[in-house]
Amino acid sequence: ILTSTPMSVVPEISASAVLLSALAAFFIGMLWYSPVMFSKSWIKSAGLSEKDLKKGGNAAMIRSMVLGLLSYALMAFVLAHFVDYLQIDNAKEGAVLGFWVWLGFVGTTQLGSVLWEMKPLSYFLINTMYSLLVLVVMGAILGHWPI
C-alpha cells in the first residue's frame, strides 16, 4: 500500500470525467485512422482494402462505433480507479499514469500482432501509438478532473 490513508474498494468515480475521456479517445481515433493521418498506411499494413472496410454497410459501422465508444468508457472507468487509488490530482500525473499503463499492459500485448500474427511493424506502431496517445489523454483528463 502506497499511502497510510484507507482506500475505498469502490471509489466514487466521476461519470462526467469518464464520458469526457471516452469521447476524447473516440474523436482522437476518428482523426488518427482518417485519411488526414494514418488510414491508408493502416489499411495497407493490416492487409485490408477499402472494399473490405465497407463490408456490412452503415449498420456494421454504427455497431462498431457504439461498441468502440463503450470500450473506451470501460477503459476510462478502470483508469479512473487507478487515478483514485494512487491519489492523482493533476493532469501531469494522470498523463504519466496513462503512459505506464500503456507501457506495461497495452504496448506489450499489442506487440503480439507482430510476433504471432505476422503483421508488419508499421501496423503495430500505428495502433500502439494511438493507444499511447489515448491513455495519456485519458490519464490527463481523469487526473485533472475531480474524481
Side-chain angles (χ1 to χ4, degrees), residues 69-82:
L69 185 58
L70 290 173
S71 73
Y72 296 134
L74 178 59
M75 181 188 294
F77 181 73
V78 172
L79 190 61
H81 282 74
F82 284 94

Side-chain angles (χ1 to χ4, degrees), residues 52-98:
D52 293 328
L53 297 178
K54 293 182 180 178
K55 288 181 184 173
N58 288 338
M61 178 61 76
I62 291 169
R63 185 188 76 241
S64 294
M65 291 171 75
V66 169
L67 291 174
L69 185 58
L70 290 173
S71 73
Y72 296 134
L74 178 59
M75 181 188 294
F77 181 73
V78 172
L79 190 61
H81 282 74
F82 284 94
V83 168
D84 179 71
Y85 296 152
L86 296 172
Q87 299 177 354
I88 291 172
D89 63 359
N90 64 69
K92 181 180 176 185
E93 290 178 4
V96 170
L97 171 64

